[in-house]
Amino acid sequence: MTGGGDDTAAGTPVERAKAALAALGADGDAPSRRSRSTTAPTVAVAPGRVNLVGGHTDYNDGLCLPMAVDRHVAVAARPRSDDLLRVRAADFDETAELAPEDDPDGWAAYVAAVARVLREDDPISGADLAIASDVPTGAGLSSSAALELAVGRALLAVSGRDLPAADLALACWRAEREGVGVECGILDQFSAALCEADSALSLDCRSRETEPVPLGDCVGVLVIDTGVSHELTESGYNDRVRECAAALDTLREDADRDLDSLRDVDRDLLDAHADALDPVHFRRVRHVVTENERVRRARDALAAGDLDRVGDAMLAAHDSLRDDYEVSCPELDAAVELAAETPGVYGARMTGGGFGGSAVALVDDDALDRAERAIRDAAPERVGPDADVFACRPSAGVRLVGEE
């Protein structure tokens, strides 16, 4: 969540969150004065993510290969003596005061939803929170999951509670689905919670098993933000979820098979019952089936250091997301095309839910600076006037500042 406001002075998200927390309540609000402490605040950070391969497979119990990036949401927190959450969004120059029963809109909805889910098991203390971020919003880097995980870790810490990272990820996943209304899978929350530095994450969304896949020193990653913002609750994202569910129902009936999800569908089953599906549903299923295959190929290739094969899987994934799943847009297609023709780039694809946002490119590390300059120079004309390009490194998942 990046934007303009009085609290967006230069500094890291951690520094800006601490400064915003220090200023919170300076208007003389009595509860905030009582809540202020001379002790250092608790600060949690959670990363954004890119997804190398595995688009729209997570809510179909499929496979993904994400990577957390070194762009973070930071949440500074201190406990209160009441049950309110008073939250300062430094980047938006906005403050919200949330009682446990409140159901706000906008960015505060994510904070309220996470607190509501965490309160189901044990009490959550009232808290003053301040949020700052360098994860761009609407760019397909999952700023929402980073916000949820950082808020969740901070609230647990000031309440004297802890949860394993996977359990916190599942709580935040529920918060986004139930509290915000995005019918997402677990990809974003598990990425923000469980990724490791210098590695991608092999994620099985059915078993919820994860395994780090080292990227090695010879590869870099570029993000090409098209500048076309997306809002998943207002885009076709939930439509795709419903289309997959309808296609699964058709395949169950026509094949007379007990299919739990599209993960149970392979090419042979799809081809045998293609006539039962309308053309749109057939293309949606074909994407999911072939995308799971691409994740397996890319994961094995990355583990073997075969970056050309990883790049090929990324390019094929974009083609499928564009043609079969229909979640790309002209700006994303242009970004992928521009990256793919740039020397040193192994492959590229759209990342995130689509309908705008960013493309991710896998690049030979020796060519990273040259590729970044070349794409940045061409992006305004080829992609759009608001396009941005930046390099990123694989990051660790959610943590308290000071944790090893």
Side-chain angles (χ1 to χ4, degrees), residues 294-340:
R294 285 185 286 270
V295 174
R296 292 188 185 95
R297 291 200 303 272
R299 177 193 61 202
D300 294 345
L302 186 59
D306 189 344
L307 299 176
D308 286 317
R309 286 181 60 212
V310 179
D312 290 343
M314 294 174 69
L315 290 166
H318 184 79
D319 289 347
S320 183
L321 287 161
R322 180 194 63 212
D323 299 333
D324 277 351
Y325 223 68
E326 298 180 280
V327 291
S328 189
C329 65
E331 293 85 357
L332 281 170
D333 296 341
V336 170
E337 182 179 315
L338 171 60

Coordinates of all heavy atoms in Angstrom, one line a residue, residues 294-340:
R294 N 3.2 -27.3 -16.1 CA 4.3 -26.3 -16.2 C 5.0 -26.1 -14.9 O 6.2 -25.9 -14.9 CB 3.7 -25.0 -16.8 CG 3.4 -25.1 -18.3 CD 3.0 -23.8 -18.9 NE 1.7 -23.4 -18.5 CZ 0.6 -23.7 -19.2 NH1 0.7 -24.4 -20.3 NH2 -0.6 -23.3 -18.8
V295 N 4.2 -26.1 -13.8 CA 4.8 -25.8 -12.5 C 5.8 -27.0 -12.2 O 6.9 -26.8 -11.7 CB 3.8 -25.7 -11.4 CG1 4.5 -25.7 -10.0 CG2 2.9 -24.5 -11.6
R296 N 5.4 -28.2 -12.5 CA 6.3 -29.4 -12.2 C 7.6 -29.2 -13.1 O 8.7 -29.5 -12.5 CB 5.6 -30.7 -12.6 CG 4.4 -31.0 -11.6 CD 3.9 -32.4 -11.9 NE 2.7 -32.7 -11.1 CZ 1.4 -32.6 -11.5 NH1 1.2 -32.1 -12.8 NH2 0.4 -32.9 -10.8
R297 N 7.4 -28.9 -14.3 CA 8.6 -28.8 -15.2 C 9.5 -27.6 -14.7 O 10.7 -27.8 -14.7 CB 8.2 -28.5 -16.6 CG 7.5 -29.7 -17.3 CD 7.6 -29.5 -18.9 NE 7.0 -28.3 -19.3 CZ 5.7 -28.1 -19.6 NH1 4.9 -29.1 -19.5 NH2 5.3 -27.0 -20.1
A298 N 8.9 -26.5 -14.4 CA 9.7 -25.3 -13.9 C 10.4 -25.6 -12.6 O 11.6 -25.3 -12.4 CB 8.8 -24.1 -13.8
R299 N 9.7 -26.3 -11.7 CA 10.3 -26.6 -10.4 C 11.5 -27.5 -10.6 O 12.6 -27.3 -10.0 CB 9.3 -27.3 -9.5 CG 9.7 -27.7 -8.1 CD 8.7 -28.6 -7.5 NE 8.5 -29.8 -8.3 CZ 7.4 -30.6 -8.3 NH1 6.4 -30.3 -7.5 NH2 7.3 -31.7 -9.1
D300 N 11.3 -28.5 -11.4 CA 12.5 -29.5 -11.6 C 13.6 -28.8 -12.3 O 14.8 -29.1 -12.0 CB 12.0 -30.7 -12.3 CG 11.0 -31.6 -11.6 OD1 10.9 -31.4 -10.3 OD2 10.3 -32.4 -12.2
A301 N 13.3 -28.0 -13.3 CA 14.3 -27.3 -14.1 C 15.1 -26.3 -13.2 O 16.3 -26.2 -13.3 CB 13.7 -26.6 -15.2
L302 N 14.3 -25.6 -12.3 CA 15.0 -24.6 -11.4 C 15.9 -25.4 -10.5 O 17.1 -24.9 -10.2 CB 14.0 -23.8 -10.6 CG 14.5 -22.7 -9.8 CD1 15.2 -21.7 -10.6 CD2 13.3 -22.0 -9.0
A303 N 15.5 -26.5 -9.9 CA 16.3 -27.3 -9.0 C 17.6 -27.8 -9.7 O 18.6 -27.9 -9.1 CB 15.5 -28.4 -8.4
A304 N 17.5 -28.0 -11.0 CA 18.6 -28.5 -11.8 C 19.4 -27.4 -12.4 O 20.5 -27.6 -13.0 CB 18.1 -29.4 -13.0
G305 N 19.0 -26.1 -12.2 CA 19.8 -25.0 -12.7 C 19.6 -24.7 -14.2 O 20.3 -24.0 -14.8
D306 N 18.5 -25.3 -14.8 CA 18.2 -25.2 -16.2 C 17.2 -24.0 -16.4 O 16.0 -24.2 -16.5 CB 17.6 -26.5 -16.7 CG 17.5 -26.5 -18.3 OD1 17.5 -25.4 -18.8 OD2 17.3 -27.5 -18.8
L307 N 17.8 -22.8 -16.4 CA 17.0 -21.6 -16.4 C 16.3 -21.4 -17.8 O 15.2 -20.7 -17.8 CB 17.8 -20.4 -16.0 CG 18.5 -20.5 -14.6 CD1 19.4 -19.3 -14.4 CD2 17.4 -20.6 -13.6
D308 N 16.8 -21.9 -18.8 CA 16.1 -21.8 -20.1 C 14.8 -22.5 -20.1 O 13.8 -22.0 -20.6 CB 17.0 -22.4 -21.2 CG 18.2 -21.5 -21.6 OD1 18.0 -20.3 -21.7 OD2 19.3 -22.0 -21.7
R309 N 14.8 -23.7 -19.5 CA 13.5 -24.4 -19.3 C 12.5 -23.7 -18.4 O 11.3 -23.7 -18.7 CB 13.7 -25.9 -18.8 CG 14.4 -26.8 -19.9 CD 14.6 -28.2 -19.3 NE 13.3 -28.7 -18.9 CZ 13.2 -29.6 -17.8 NH1 14.2 -29.9 -17.1 NH2 12.0 -30.1 -17.5
V310 N 13.0 -23.1 -17.4 CA 12.1 -22.3 -16.5 C 11.5 -21.2 -17.3 O 10.3 -20.9 -17.2 CB 12.9 -21.8 -15.3 CG1 12.0 -20.9 -14.4 CG2 13.5 -22.9 -14.5
G311 N 12.4 -20.5 -18.1 CA 11.9 -19.4 -18.9 C 10.8 -19.8 -19.9 O 9.8 -19.1 -20.1
D312 N 11.1 -21.0 -20.5 CA 10.1 -21.5 -21.5 C 8.7 -21.8 -20.8 O 7.7 -21.5 -21.4 CB 10.6 -22.8 -22.1 CG 11.8 -22.6 -23.1 OD1 12.0 -21.4 -23.5 OD2 12.5 -23.6 -23.4
A313 N 8.8 -22.3 -19.6 CA 7.5 -22.6 -18.9 C 6.8 -21.3 -18.5 O 5.6 -21.2 -18.6 CB 7.8 -23.4 -17.6
M314 N 7.6 -20.2 -18.2 CA 7.0 -18.9 -17.9 C 6.3 -18.3 -19.1 O 5.1 -17.9 -19.0 CB 8.0 -18.0 -17.4 CG 8.6 -18.3 -16.0 SD 10.0 -17.3 -15.5 CE 9.1 -15.7 -15.2
L315 N 6.9 -18.4 -20.3 CA 6.3 -17.8 -21.5 C 5.1 -18.6 -21.9 O 4.1 -18.0 -22.3 CB 7.4 -17.9 -22.6 CG 8.5 -16.9 -22.4 CD1 9.6 -17.2 -23.4 CD2 8.0 -15.4 -22.7
A316 N 5.2 -20.0 -21.8 CA 4.0 -20.8 -22.1 C 2.8 -20.5 -21.1 O 1.7 -20.5 -21.5 CB 4.3 -22.3 -22.1
A317 N 3.2 -20.3 -19.8 CA 2.2 -19.9 -18.8 C 1.4 -18.6 -19.2 O 0.2 -18.5 -19.1 CB 2.8 -19.8 -17.5
H318 N 2.2 -17.6 -19.7 CA 1.6 -16.4 -20.0 C 0.6 -16.6 -21.2 O -0.5 -16.0 -21.2 CB 2.6 -15.3 -20.4 CG 1.9 -14.0 -20.6 ND1 1.5 -13.2 -19.6 CD2 1.6 -13.4 -21.8 CE1 0.9 -12.1 -20.2 NE2 0.9 -12.2 -21.5
D319 N 1.1 -17.3 -22.2 CA 0.2 -17.6 -23.3 C -1.1 -18.2 -22.9 O -2.2 -17.9 -23.4 CB 0.9 -18.5 -24.3 CG 2.0 -17.9 -25.1 OD1 2.2 -16.6 -25.0 OD2 2.8 -18.6 -25.7
S320 N -1.0 -19.2 -22.0 CA -2.2 -19.8 -21.5 C -3.1 -18.9 -20.7 O -4.4 -18.9 -20.8 CB -1.8 -21.1 -20.6 OG -3.0 -21.8 -20.2
L321 N -2.5 -18.1 -19.8 CA -3.3 -17.1 -19.1 C -4.0 -16.1 -20.0 O -5.1 -15.6 -19.7 CB -2.4 -16.4 -18.1 CG -1.9 -17.3 -16.9 CD1 -0.7 -16.6 -16.2 CD2 -3.1 -17.4 -15.9
R322 N -3.3 -15.7 -21.1 CA -3.9 -14.8 -22.0 C -5.0 -15.4 -22.8 O -6.1 -14.8 -23.0 CB -2.8 -14.3 -22.9 CG -3.2 -13.3 -24.0 CD -2.1 -13.1 -25.1 NE -1.9 -14.4 -25.8 CZ -0.7 -14.7 -26.3 NH1 0.4 -14.0 -26.1 NH2 -0.6 -15.9 -26.9
D323 N -4.8 -16.6 -23.4 CA -5.7 -17.2 -24.3 C -6.8 -18.1 -23.7 O -7.9 -18.0 -24.1 CB -4.9 -18.0 -25.4 CG -3.9 -17.1 -26.1 OD1 -4.1 -15.9 -26.3 OD2 -2.9 -17.7 -26.6
D324 N -6.4 -18.9 -22.8 CA -7.3 -19.9 -22.2 C -8.0 -19.3 -21.0 O -9.2 -19.6 -20.8 CB -6.6 -21.2 -21.9 CG -6.5 -22.1 -23.0 OD1 -7.1 -21.8 -24.1 OD2 -5.8 -23.2 -22.9
Y325 N -7.3 -18.6 -20.2 CA -7.9 -18.1 -18.9 C -8.4 -16.7 -19.1 O -9.2 -16.2 -18.3 CB -6.9 -18.2 -17.8 CG -7.6 -18.7 -16.5 CD1 -8.0 -20.0 -16.4 CD2 -7.7 -17.9 -15.4 CE1 -8.6 -20.5 -15.3 CE2 -8.3 -18.3 -14.3 CZ -8.8 -19.6 -14.2 OH -9.4 -20.1 -13.1
E326 N -7.9 -15.9 -20.1 CA -8.3 -14.6 -20.4 C -8.3 -13.6 -19.2 O -9.3 -13.0 -18.9 CB -9.7 -14.7 -21.0 CG -9.8 -15.5 -22.3 CD -11.2 -15.5 -22.9 OE1 -12.0 -16.4 -22.4 OE2 -11.4 -14.8 -23.9
V327 N -7.1 -13.6 -18.6 CA -7.0 -12.7 -17.5 C -5.8 -11.7 -17.7 O -5.5 -10.9 -16.8 CB -6.7 -13.4 -16.1 CG1 -7.9 -14.2 -15.7 CG2 -5.5 -14.4 -16.2
S328 N -5.3 -11.6 -18.9 CA -4.3 -10.7 -19.2 C -4.9 -9.4 -19.7 O -6.1 -9.2 -19.7 CB -3.3 -11.3 -20.3 OG -2.2 -10.4 -20.4
C329 N -4.1 -8.5 -20.2 CA -4.6 -7.2 -20.8 C -3.5 -6.8 -21.8 O -2.3 -7.3 -21.7 CB -4.8 -6.2 -19.8 SG -3.4 -5.6 -18.8
P330 N -3.7 -5.8 -22.7 CA -2.7 -5.5 -23.7 C -1.4 -5.0 -23.1 O -0.3 -5.3 -23.6 CB -3.4 -4.3 -24.5 CG -4.9 -4.6 -24.3 CD -5.1 -5.2 -23.0
E331 N -1.5 -4.3 -21.9 CA -0.3 -3.8 -21.3 C 0.6 -4.9 -20.8 O 1.8 -4.9 -20.9 CB -0.6 -2.8 -20.2 CG -1.3 -1.5 -20.7 CD -2.8 -1.6 -20.9 OE1 -3.4 -2.7 -20.7 OE2 -3.4 -0.6 -21.2
L332 N -0.1 -5.9 -20.2 CA 0.7 -7.1 -19.7 C 1.3 -7.8 -20.8 O 2.5 -8.3 -20.8 CB -0.2 -8.0 -18.9 CG -0.5 -7.6 -17.4 CD1 -1.6 -8.5 -16.8 CD2 0.7 -7.7 -16.6
D333 N 0.5 -8.0 -21.9 CA 1.1 -8.7 -23.1 C 2.3 -8.0 -23.6 O 3.3 -8.6 -24.0 CB 0.0 -8.9 -24.1 CG -1.2 -9.7 -23.7 OD1 -1.0 -10.5 -22.7 OD2 -2.2 -9.6 -24.3
A334 N 2.2 -6.7 -23.7 CA 3.3 -5.9 -24.2 C 4.5 -6.0 -23.3 O 5.7 -6.0 -23.7 CB 2.9 -4.4 -24.3
A335 N 4.3 -6.0 -22.0 CA 5.4 -6.1 -21.0 C 6.1 -7.4 -21.2 O 7.4 -7.5 -21.2 CB 4.9 -5.9 -19.6
V336 N 5.4 -8.5 -21.3 CA 6.0 -9.8 -21.5 C 6.7 -9.9 -22.8 O 7.8 -10.4 -22.9 CB 4.9 -10.9 -21.4 CG1 5.4 -12.3 -21.8 CG2 4.3 -11.0 -20.0
E337 N 6.1 -9.4 -23.9 CA 6.8 -9.4 -25.2 C 8.1 -8.6 -25.1 O 9.1 -9.0 -25.7 CB 5.9 -8.8 -26.2 CG 6.4 -8.8 -27.6 CD 5.4 -8.3 -28.6 OE1 4.2 -8.6 -28.6 OE2 5.8 -7.4 -29.5
L338 N 8.1 -7.4 -24.5 CA 9.2 -6.6 -24.4 C 10.3 -7.3 -23.6 O 11.5 -7.3 -24.0 CB 8.9 -5.3 -23.7 CG 10.0 -4.4 -23.3 CD1 10.9 -3.9 -24.5 CD2 9.5 -3.1 -22.6
A339 N 10.0 -7.9 -22.5 CA 11.0 -8.6 -21.7 C 11.6 -9.8 -22.5 O 12.8 -10.0 -22.4 CB 10.3 -9.1 -20.4
A340 N 10.7 -10.6 -23.1 CA 11.2 -11.8 -23.8 C 12.2 -11.5 -24.9 O 13.0 -12.3 -25.2 CB 10.0 -12.5 -24.4

